[in-house]
Amino acid sequence: MKTILVNGNSLKWEENMNIDLILKRKNYTFKMLVVKVDGKLIKKTEYAKTFVQPGADVKVIHLISGG
Amino acid sequence: MKKSDFFSAHDSRIIPILQNAVIGIAGAGGLGSNIAVSLTRSGIGKLVVADFDKIEPSNLNRQQFFEDQIGMPKVIALLENLNKVSPFTKYQVHEIKLNPENIPLIYKNVDIMVEAFDKAEMKTMLIETWLAKFPNKPIIAASGITGWGKNELLHTRKIDNLYICGDEETDLQAGISPMAPRVAIVANMQANLVLEILLKNL
């Protein structure tokens, strides 16, 4: 099975897997996120058009109000 | 007070490293005011702090200000308080709302950036701006600090040059405000990480 890493955990890779699909598969519904793929920052406007390859290392950081 | 007396408890090798460091702090509220006090006590050479807010009574539950400072701009009150702590840190304060255009100008000379905003939108904006403009300079952010207790959930996560301190899960809810102990713990995790990064080669 081809996989990617999301915050260090394995996730099954799928054809045409973009950031939106990864967030859906992980049930990440948070509004304020910072996403990096293989060290590169992916802005919100690029989630739909950013497709990942098997083995990609995806980091999702959830920013919560309070300070 | 003599500088040598202020630093007399320190290993002499760390003093020039700390005194040559320039640290940015974005926001002077619960996180920023605590971070600034700890870094000043640590002997950091220069702090660059920006915030546009004024002190309100409800801030005193967690922010390093005093009752007679209510109504003052936070950066001005912070400057006043930091100057009482130590004359061995230089302070550059900006009473301004930060945005993607002014962040690279205000913070272009800092060695490490510390995110200390309240709102998630601002945290995200700063991190995205920083990673795009200064990918080689560390940024230390906070996420998930509200409420009380749950010490065991607080942690630091490193993603390249981005560090996140907090529990990354406790959301703001009605009736659960950020409170002094947990905000100060996370602020000091951030300040502690600044020292760790600066002194890593020692």
Side-chain angles (χ1 to χ4, degrees), chain A residues 64-67, chain B residues 30-31 62 117-118 123 142-148 154 165-171 177-179 181-184 186-187 190:
Chain A
I64 308 166
S65 285
Chain B
L31 292 168
R62 66 188 188 281
F117 287 129
D118 187 30
K123 290 173 183 285
S143 180
I145 63 162
T146 203
W148 56 84
L154 297 172
C165 298
D167 66 25
E168 297 192 81
E169 60 184 62
T170 307
D171 218 336
S177 155
M179 291 175 77
R182 218 158 184 264
V183 173
V186 176
Q190 293 178 283

Side-chain angles (χ1 to χ4, degrees), chain A residues 7 30-36 38-44 47 59-67, chain B residues 30-31 62 117-121 123-124 127-128 143 145 157 159-160 162 164 168-172:
Chain A
N7 286 345
F30 310 118
K31 276 190 305 195
M32 283 300 145
L33 299 172
V34 170
V35 174
K36 294 186 88 177
D38 295 328
K40 183 174 177 287
L41 176 71
I42 311 292
K43 294 201 171 180
K44 198 166 216 146
Y47 287 0
K59 298 279 204 267
V60 181
I61 303 120
H62 171 203
L63 279 313
I64 308 166
S65 285
Chain B
L31 292 168
R62 66 188 188 281
F117 287 129
D118 187 30
K119 291 194 170 63
E121 293 78 4
K123 290 173 183 285
T124 307
I127 293 169
E128 290 195 346
S143 180
I145 63 162
R157 180 155 72 116
I159 301 140
D160 307 320
L162 167 63
I164 308 283
E168 297 192 81
E169 60 184 62
T170 307
D171 218 336
L172 269 187

Side-chain angles (χ1 to χ4, degrees), chain B residues 145-161:
Chain B
I145 63 162
T146 203
W148 56 84
K150 297 188 283 187
N151 283 345
E152 69 281 6
L153 294 185
L154 297 172
H155 61 262
T156 298
R157 180 155 72 116
K158 180 181 190 300
I159 301 140
D160 307 320
N161 271 327

Side-chain angles (χ1 to χ4, degrees), chain A residues 14-37:
Chain A
E14 301 172 43
E15 290 287 341
N16 299 320
M17 192 170 216
N18 63 10
I19 303 299
D20 285 330
L21 182 63
I22 293 169
L23 298 178
K24 194 176 154 195
R25 290 283 181 264
K26 294 295 287 181
N27 291 319
Y28 287 154
T29 55
F30 310 118
K31 276 190 305 195
M32 283 300 145
L33 299 172
V34 170
V35 174
K36 294 186 88 177
V37 175

Side-chain angles (χ1 to χ4, degrees), chain B residues 11-200:
Chain B
D11 179 328
S12 63
R13 291 173 305 163
I14 75 173
I15 299 166
I17 300 172
L18 298 175
Q19 282 279 284
N20 286 327
V22 183
I23 307 299
I25 303 174
L31 292 168
S33 63
N34 278 295
I35 293 162
V37 168
S38 278
L39 291 181
T40 296
R41 292 195 190 283
S42 301
I44 294 296
K46 184 175 176 183
L47 300 179
V48 181
V49 188
D51 195 300
F52 69 97
D53 236 352
K54 293 191 167 60
I55 298 167
E56 296 176 25
S58 65
N59 297 151
L60 299 184
N61 81 332
R62 66 188 188 281
Q63 306 188 12
Q64 294 295 342
F65 301 114
F66 302 97
E67 189 183 4
D68 63 1
Q69 294 178 319
I70 288 169
M72 283 175 76
K74 288 182 179 176
V75 290
I76 303 301
L78 185 62
L79 187 61
E80 196 174 278
N81 298 344
L82 296 176
N83 274 318
K84 286 187 189 173
V85 172
S86 157
F88 304 120
T89 296
K90 293 187 181 70
Y91 310 103
Q92 184 190 106
V93 300
H94 300 265
E95 191 184 348
I96 192 170
K97 184 164 172 128
L98 291 168
N99 61 45
E101 285 70 46
N102 61 26
I103 287 168
L105 301 173
I106 290 175
Y107 293 105
K108 65 175 186 289
N109 292 324
V110 308
D111 302 310
I112 300 171
M113 182 67 179
V114 188
E115 180 279 314
F117 287 129
D118 187 30
K119 291 194 170 63
E121 293 78 4
M122 293 292 283
K123 290 173 183 285
T124 307
M125 180 278 292
L126 174 67
I127 293 169
E128 290 195 346
T129 302
W130 196 259
L131 295 180
K133 293 281 180 188
F134 304 107
N136 298 320
K137 289 189 183 186
I139 175 166
I140 303 172
S143 180
I145 63 162
T146 203
W148 56 84
K150 297 188 283 187
N151 283 345
E152 69 281 6
L153 294 185
L154 297 172
H155 61 262
T156 298
R157 180 155 72 116
K158 180 181 190 300
I159 301 140
D160 307 320
N161 271 327
L162 167 63
Y163 299 77
I164 308 283
C165 298
D167 66 25
E168 297 192 81
E169 60 184 62
T170 307
D171 218 336
L172 269 187
Q173 302 165 32
I176 305 183
S177 155
M179 291 175 77
R182 218 158 184 264
V183 173
I185 291 169
V186 176
N188 280 299
M189 288 172 75
Q190 293 178 283
N192 197 29
L193 206 45
V194 167
L195 300 184
E196 185 176 330
I197 293 168
L198 290 174
L199 300 172
K200 66 176 184 291

